[in-house]
Amino acid sequence: MLKRAILFVILVFIPCFIKAKLTTEELDSFRLREASASFVKEQKIVIDGKLNEAIWRSGVWQVNFIQRDPNDGSTETYKTEFCVFYDSDYLYVGAKAHDPEPDKIIAILTRRDSYSQSDWMYVSLDSYNDNRTAFEFGLNAAGVKHDLRRFDDTNADDDWNAVWEGKSHINDEGWTAEWRIPFRELRFTSSDDMQWGFQMYRELPRHNSELSVWSYWSHSEEGFVSQYGALKGLQNISVKNPVYIAPFVAGQANVSKNLVNPVHEKDYDLLSNIGADIRYSSPKGLTFNATINPDFGQVEADPADFNLTEFETYFCENRPFFMEGGNILRFSLGFGDGDAQFNNLFYSRRIGRSPQGWVPEDDEKEVITTSYPERTNILGAAKLTGKTTNGLSIGVMEAVTSEETGKVLYDDDTRQVGVIEPLSNYWLSRVQQDFNDGQTSIGGIFTAVNRKLDDTGIDYLHKAAYTGGIDIDHEFLDRKYGFQGAIAFSNVRGDTTAIQETQMSSARYYNRVDADYLEYDPLRTSISGYAVKAILTKNTGNIRAATGGMAFSPGFEINDMGFLRQVDDVTQFTWIQYRKWEDMKRLRSFQMNFNQWSVWNFNGDRRNIGGNINMHFDFNNNWGSGFGINKGWGGLDPAFNRGGPAMQTPDNWNLWGYANTDGRKKVILQMEGFYFQSDDDVIGIGIEPEITWRPKQNIQLTAGVEFNRLKDTWAWIGKAEDENGETQYIWSSMDQKTFSMVLRADLTLTPTLSIQYFAQPFFTAGEYFDLMCVNDSYAKDYNKRFEKFGDDIIYNYDNGEYEVDKGNDGIIDYTFEGQTDFNYKQLRSNLVLRWEYLTGSAIYLVWSQGFTDYESFKPFDIPRDTRTIFDTDGDNVFMIKISHMLNI
């Protein structure tokens, strides 16, 4: 007993006092380290996190982890050690996280894959041994599992999920953990002398968010997977190729008074669904996933949005089938963390989107009610993703969505039915080949969307849409520098009506009256375009940088399967960053960024130029803050007049900032805010406070509030044809206020049983005044650019039109329809109980509720708007879904 106590002091307490930063020569011995796995012959290892089997005592334990945070290059505060065994089916990892104060170990209980400021240990396996890809398995001190897939060396896919076992246990000496990872979940080639990339790291949040790693590399060096050590000793492992089939059944009740109409007297609908998810892992390192008649009712609803712009809103993917492995299918045409990051040839939200069509109504009849499905049904989808042992990444996806119809019911009991979304097929194929130990990757992509439009009456959608591209990602000079390049093409085909709409879309406006370099052809049945990207980066050291550009030709159209808001665009940018992470008295890290950009069209017209300086501080007490200042110089924007002449935009500037308290505490505060102003006296201001409270280790409550106010001096109203037959572009001053909240409650009873609640009330209202028309769209002077109507315009509430009476002589010169004062409110909520009763098998109980209301000419009034929205008839959805995984 005395010997154990002495050993405990030596192993645990002494490292607490020996934390000096190691020399470069000393640190070299901890880089690219080697560990060995031993074969388990007969003894059974029970996964309970306790490491009490005799075999663990006979193992070779790896020690001496090195900090990356907060003291880069110093020894770890408390000793961490691990040992690796294997048998014919599993890899076993046992780890000990020593801690002299086990009562202070942070063991937050959340649902699987929900990261928290807990004590964590992660096992990461580069079984391809390609220095770019790894499969990672994490456990926290409460036994919560977190798995992810690393790709392209430094990127991670948190949506990747594997079937594996892991448990943790807190004892008097700290906490321990056990992993049992099936070889069938990994990708490798068997041999009698196998070597994998291997990394293990530990997070110790209460010690200044300490991160220590087994195979060390510094913050000044680039890479992640490429810095792994080696795991040796594996021999002749037979590759397992299981088939997982997870059939499911779902029942759903829709309850709402909105369902009641002359042909549907009940206020509820009862629905049922049956389907299956299938997964097969091939011996070539590829995984086949398929879903038949999928049901995503358990997925959290999109955030509320009221879009007054001419461009669509980007929504993140929340559906599990499309999230997992999505990185392999992506083909990015952007860079950084701004809006350009969304530019991609593959945007999975296109599959199963809301129907794009409508049923033409008979103007001579009175409409009683209409019926349109909220989304297109996915009949089935399949994908083949993965990476072969020779470094070839493959991603192939196929999806089919059903034909959807809409219905219109008239007062004479007749109805009209029409196709609003045709039967559609989506195809994607993506390949990437690694060279030079993963420092170079060359790839290509091809996508196709084909719609069955025959006999549907639809002429406004593309019959076919194709895109393709080639990209390269190259690191050189010992990964210190990098180059990213891509070239892509697009081709869409369809009826002349569809191609007319493409030419006149907000992405390009071929019909602009001042765009001599663009040719609008109403007889075209196809349109093609291209895009290019070239970026040079510096990836290591205290100073990092990137410079490059992107160009999208006017005819480039990818939005049938991709996402791109605007083309006819040439963008140049430069980014320089100074970062520091050591030898600071009160800071753990500091970053300062300098950004510069310029945007032009293909005619050489400058759209805008700008710059930004921002700073970010990470303090020793785990608080954080940052701020930035942007300055923009205007130019000619082709989209503001919605097909009219380009519009001169003013110079502007904005200031933004944020601050957050220690994320390890029970109460966490966060604040964000911004202020914007232009030379045209447009002013925007926003504030966003948030509070998170964790009263117990398994309960978390979050409330966030956002308030924005926009005082706009030129907001879009619409177009009008005046008495001379000329098109007038109508604008107005506007005062818009927006208030929203996000409420979350998470209760985790066990790592496999949780209850989550989400609610978002959203209120926005805008008042228009001082209507005006464009006088000289190229004028920099606001008063010359616009001509105000003054008393020459009124709104006729009876017919819903604006009436222009020039000279105020009582004679109406022309009328038009346009945007009016609005008041929009919405409340969405989800309550989800999830129980993973067996690994890979789950039961969901879901209650979703939604209220939406729109009023014209109602001011912003939160108390009144709250009463109004609850007076409307809400939509309630109750659902139960049961899935069961079968291993064949």
Side-chain angles (χ1 to χ4, degrees):
M1 189 70 182
L2 179 60
K3 291 182 179 179
R4 291 185 61 189
I6 294 173
L7 181 62
F8 177 73
V9 170
I10 292 174
L11 295 179
V12 176
F13 283 94
I14 288 181
C16 298
F17 301 97
I18 307 176
K19 293 189 293 182
K21 184 172 181 179
L22 303 178
T23 65
T24 301
E25 291 75 15
E26 290 172 326
L27 287 172
D28 285 343
S29 64
F30 298 105
R31 301 175 189 271
L32 305 177
R33 303 172 68 180
E34 292 185 2
S36 181
S38 302
F39 185 73
V40 180
K41 294 182 179 180
E42 297 179 356
Q43 184 171 349
K44 181 180 180 181
I45 299 178
V46 178
I47 303 302
D48 56 11
K50 296 180 180 180
L51 302 177
N52 51 12
E53 291 87 2
I55 194 169
W56 293 117
R57 294 191 290 274
S58 66
V60 178
W61 290 82
Q62 295 289 320
V63 294
N64 296 325
F65 282 47
I66 303 297
Q67 289 188 44
R68 295 196 78 227
D69 290 315
N71 303 310
D72 193 8
S74 299
T75 56
E76 59 183 334
T77 299
Y78 302 136
K79 183 178 180 180
T80 309
E81 51 185 326
F82 70 88
C83 183
V84 183
F85 288 95
Y86 74 100
D87 60 20
S88 58
D89 297 310
Y90 300 98
L91 185 77
Y92 300 90
V93 180
K96 301 175 183 178
H98 294 275
D99 196 319
E101 300 176 291
D103 58 317
K104 293 184 179 180
I105 291 173
I106 303 176
I108 296 175
L109 187 60
T110 65
R111 65 179 295 180
R112 177 175 175 168
D113 289 331
S114 180
Y115 181 80
S116 63
Q117 288 284 342
S118 299
D119 284 64
W120 288 89
M121 286 191 286
Y122 286 86
V123 172
S124 198
L125 301 166
D126 177 9
S127 56
Y128 289 114
N129 204 31
D130 65 356
N131 296 316
R132 292 178 62 87
T133 311
F135 305 97
E136 195 160 302
F137 307 86
L139 286 170
N140 78 354
V144 176
K145 298 160 70 174
H146 180 205
D147 47 16
L148 58 119
R149 176 183 176 273
R150 297 195 179 275
F151 64 98
D152 293 343
D153 193 7
T154 58
N155 297 320
D157 175 17
D158 283 288
D159 302 315
W160 179 78
N161 285 305
V163 180
W164 58 284
E165 294 179 75
K167 293 288 180 66
S168 60
H169 174 70
I170 298 176
N171 56 37
D172 293 339
E173 299 178 1
W175 67 284
T176 55
E178 281 180 300
W179 289 258
R180 178 158 60 194
I181 302 169
F183 287 124
R184 61 175 177 262
E185 296 297 320
L186 307 175
R187 306 293 172 262
F188 57 90
T189 298
S190 183
S191 71
D192 57 2
D193 186 21
M194 301 170 63
Q195 177 174 312
W196 292 355
F198 186 91
Q199 181 66 283
M200 183 142 190
Y201 61 93
R202 175 185 180 181
E203 296 180 6
L204 184 62
R206 79 175 190 275
H207 278 270
N208 210 2
S209 296
E210 180 177 316
L211 170 65
S212 56
V213 299
W214 172 67
S215 183
Y216 171 75
W217 79 106
S218 73
H219 278 290
S220 64
E221 299 173 275
E222 173 66 356
F224 199 97
V225 179
S226 57
Q227 303 292 346
Y228 282 14
L231 178 66
K232 297 184 175 182
L234 301 172
Q235 295 181 350
N236 299 318
I237 301 170
S238 58
V239 181
K240 307 296 181 181
N241 305 304
V243 176
Y244 293 114
I245 299 178
F248 71 84
V249 294
Q252 180 174 310
N254 298 337
V255 181
S256 175
K257 292 182 179 179
N258 295 320
L259 297 172
V260 179
N261 59 57
V263 295
H264 191 286
E265 298 179 353
K266 298 178 180 178
D267 63 354
Y268 64 88
D269 275 334
L270 299 179
L271 306 172
S272 61
N273 192 18
I274 186 171
D277 297 321
I278 303 169
R279 190 179 78 173
Y280 167 71
S281 298
S282 79
K284 300 297 184 180
L286 304 177
T287 300
F288 173 79
N289 293 87
T291 182
I292 302 171
N293 197 28
D295 187 292
F296 302 115
Q298 77 276 15
V299 173
E300 188 174 284
D302 289 325
D305 178 64
F306 188 73
N307 190 347
L308 291 172
T309 73
E310 65 273 36
F311 303 111
E312 71 171 310
T313 301
Y314 181 91
F315 290 108
C316 294
E317 180 61 85
N318 292 318
R319 298 170 296 178
F321 175 83
F322 295 103
M323 292 171 65
E324 186 174 343
N327 59 83
I328 297 178
L329 305 177
R330 290 175 55 83
F331 188 96
S332 176
L333 293 173
F335 184 80
D337 55 5
D339 287 344
Q341 68 178 308
F342 303 127
N343 299 342
N344 207 289
L345 291 188
F346 178 51
Y347 178 43
S348 58
R349 292 295 295 264
R350 301 298 185 202
I351 303 172
R353 68 193 303 174
S354 297
Q356 303 171 77
W358 64 93
V359 178
E361 297 177 3
D362 190 337
D363 294 335
E364 297 181 359
K365 297 181 180 181
E366 182 180 349
V367 177
I368 299 299
T369 187
T370 59
S371 175
Y372 292 97
E374 293 184 2
R375 58 182 178 272
T376 304
N377 184 44
I378 301 174
L379 298 176
K383 59 185 178 182
L384 181 68
T385 59
K387 194 170 191 177
T388 64
T389 54
N390 63 0
L392 178 65
S393 295
I394 297 175
V396 179
M397 192 202 70
E398 167 90 356
V400 179
T401 59
S402 66
E403 180 180 278
E404 302 292 344
T405 59
K407 302 178 181 65
V408 179
L409 180 65
Y410 297 103
D411 59 348
D412 60 358
D413 291 335
T414 61
R415 66 176 63 187
Q416 192 170 350
V417 180
V419 177
I420 58 175
E421 185 73 26
L423 179 70
S424 302
N425 183 85
Y426 298 83
W427 168 269
L428 182 150
S429 54
R430 176 83 161 108
V431 295
Q432 286 179 290
Q433 178 65 58
D434 293 344
F435 302 94
N436 192 24
D437 290 330
Q439 295 188 58
T440 303
S441 175
I442 299 176
I445 189 174
F446 178 76
T447 76
V449 178
N450 290 281
R451 299 184 175 97
K452 187 177 183 300
L453 299 179
D454 299 337
D455 303 321
T456 63
I458 294 178
D459 59 4
Y460 46 81
L461 295 180
H462 298 143
K463 183 178 180 63
Y466 306 108
T467 70
I470 299 173
D471 62 346
I472 181 172
D473 191 341
H474 175 59
E475 294 178 318
F476 54 96
L477 295 180
D478 198 23
R479 299 183 183 268
K480 293 180 180 179
Y481 298 89
F483 174 77
Q484 299 177 24
I487 185 169
F489 78 90
S490 70
N491 175 263
V492 295
R493 306 172 185 179
D495 187 86
T496 55
T497 301
I499 304 304
Q500 288 170 20
E501 293 199 7
T502 302
Q503 294 179 84
M504 294 188 294
S505 74
S506 60
R508 57 189 56 80
Y509 288 124
Y510 269 30
N511 56 322
R512 266 177 38 218
V513 297
D514 59 345
D516 296 335
Y517 66 102
L518 300 176
E519 181 182 356
Y520 172 71
D521 182 356
L523 300 180
R524 295 182 72 164
T525 57
S526 68
I527 189 170
S528 300
Y530 65 89
V532 294
K533 177 179 80 169
I535 300 168
L536 183 67
T537 63
K538 180 182 182 298
N539 304 322
T540 62
N542 294 91
I543 297 178
R544 308 192 182 197
T547 186
M550 297 161 282
F552 307 99
S553 75
F556 191 60
E557 173 56 54
I558 64 173
N559 287 309
D560 290 271
M561 197 164 177
F563 185 91
L564 184 63
R565 288 193 176 101
Q566 202 166 11
V567 294
D568 190 12
D569 180 287
V570 179
T571 298
Q572 169 274 329
F573 73 91
T574 299
W575 164 72
I576 300 174
Q577 180 188 80
Y578 173 75
R579 59 169 64 180
K580 189 173 175 59
W581 56 87
E582 57 186 355
D583 299 328
M584 293 182 288
K585 186 175 181 180
R586 294 182 175 86
L587 293 175
R588 295 183 59 208
S589 64
F590 166 75
Q591 293 182 7
M592 176 182 289
N593 296 290
F594 301 87
N595 299 283
Q596 168 274 326
W597 62 86
S598 59
V599 184
W600 309 76
N601 67 17
F602 271 61
N603 194 44
D605 303 318
R606 190 188 83 192
R607 294 173 59 175
N608 66 77
I609 59 175
N612 167 282
I613 298 176
N614 61 80
M615 302 182 187
H616 306 269
F617 309 87
D618 187 5
F619 296 94
N620 285 333
N621 62 359
N622 228 46
W623 287 42
S625 67
F627 68 91
I629 301 175
N630 293 26
K631 174 62 179 178
W633 289 265
L636 292 174
D637 191 288
F640 279 159
N641 276 322
R642 271 71 163 179
M647 179 79 85
Q648 177 68 41
T649 58
D651 297 351
N652 61 80
W653 66 274
N654 73 76
L655 172 69
W656 53 265
Y658 68 90
N660 60 269
T661 64
D662 190 345
R664 302 168 298 178
K665 303 298 184 181
K666 286 188 175 182
V667 177
I668 307 166
L669 302 177
Q670 181 173 313
M671 176 70 76
E672 298 179 10
F674 73 89
Y675 178 85
F676 171 90
Q677 185 171 335
S678 76
D679 287 356
D680 285 350
D681 294 326
V682 176
I683 295 175
I685 188 170
I687 187 170
E688 189 174 350
E690 181 181 278
I691 181 171
T692 298
W693 178 39
R694 190 182 292 277
K696 293 186 176 181
Q697 295 284 55
N698 66 327
I699 300 175
Q700 179 171 299
L701 307 173
T702 300
V705 176
E706 182 175 359
F707 176 77
N708 295 327
R709 184 168 186 181
L710 174 62
K711 299 178 71 173
D712 201 344
T713 57
W714 49 298
W716 177 254
I717 294 293
K719 297 180 185 179
E721 184 176 328
D722 67 13
E723 70 277 15
N724 300 317
E726 297 182 355
T727 301
Q728 299 294 331
Y729 305 95
I730 314 299
W731 295 79
S732 171
S733 295
M734 180 188 68
D735 187 0
Q736 181 183 7
K737 300 174 184 176
T738 302
F739 175 86
S740 65
M741 294 184 67
V742 174
L743 306 173
R744 294 183 183 274
D746 296 279
L747 170 63
T748 307
L749 302 173
T750 73
T752 59
L753 177 60
S754 62
I755 300 173
Q756 293 182 309
Y757 177 73
F758 164 82
Q760 184 187 39
F762 178 87
F763 306 89
T764 187
E767 178 186 1
Y768 293 90
F769 55 95
D770 289 342
L771 272 72
M772 54 197 175
C773 63
V774 174
N775 179 52
D776 180 1
S777 66
Y778 284 52
K780 293 185 178 180
D781 188 326
Y782 173 84
N783 294 315
K784 293 180 180 179
R785 195 182 322 136
F786 298 105
E787 179 181 352
K788 294 192 175 183
F789 287 111
D791 295 334
D792 292 348
I793 190 170
I794 63 170
Y795 183 78
N796 189 323
Y797 292 89
D798 294 331
N799 59 20
E801 293 183 337
Y802 288 97
E803 298 177 346
V804 178
D805 177 7
K806 293 183 177 179
N808 203 19
D809 56 7
I811 300 176
I812 304 301
D813 294 286
Y814 62 93
T815 65
F816 64 91
E817 296 180 352
Q819 180 67 52
T820 62
D821 294 0
F822 60 86
N823 184 302
Y824 175 82
K825 40 210 170 284
Q826 186 178 73
L827 172 63
R828 291 181 175 180
S829 66
N830 290 78
L831 178 65
V832 180
L833 183 148
R834 179 184 183 273
W835 177 33
E836 188 176 4
Y837 61 94
L838 291 174
T839 301
S841 304
I843 296 176
Y844 294 92
L845 297 176
V846 182
W847 173 31
S848 298
Q849 190 175 48
F851 298 87
T852 302
D853 184 66
Y854 181 91
E855 298 176 286
S856 297
F857 304 103
K858 293 293 184 181
F860 184 81
D861 186 336
I862 294 295
R864 186 199 71 86
D865 293 340
T866 302
R867 293 191 298 269
T868 300
I869 195 169
F870 281 112
D871 287 340
T872 62
D873 295 325
D875 299 316
N876 291 274
V877 177
F878 301 92
M879 189 195 80
I880 180 171
K881 179 180 177 181
I882 303 174
S883 66
H884 186 81
M885 178 174 285
L886 305 173
N887 185 359
I888 300 177

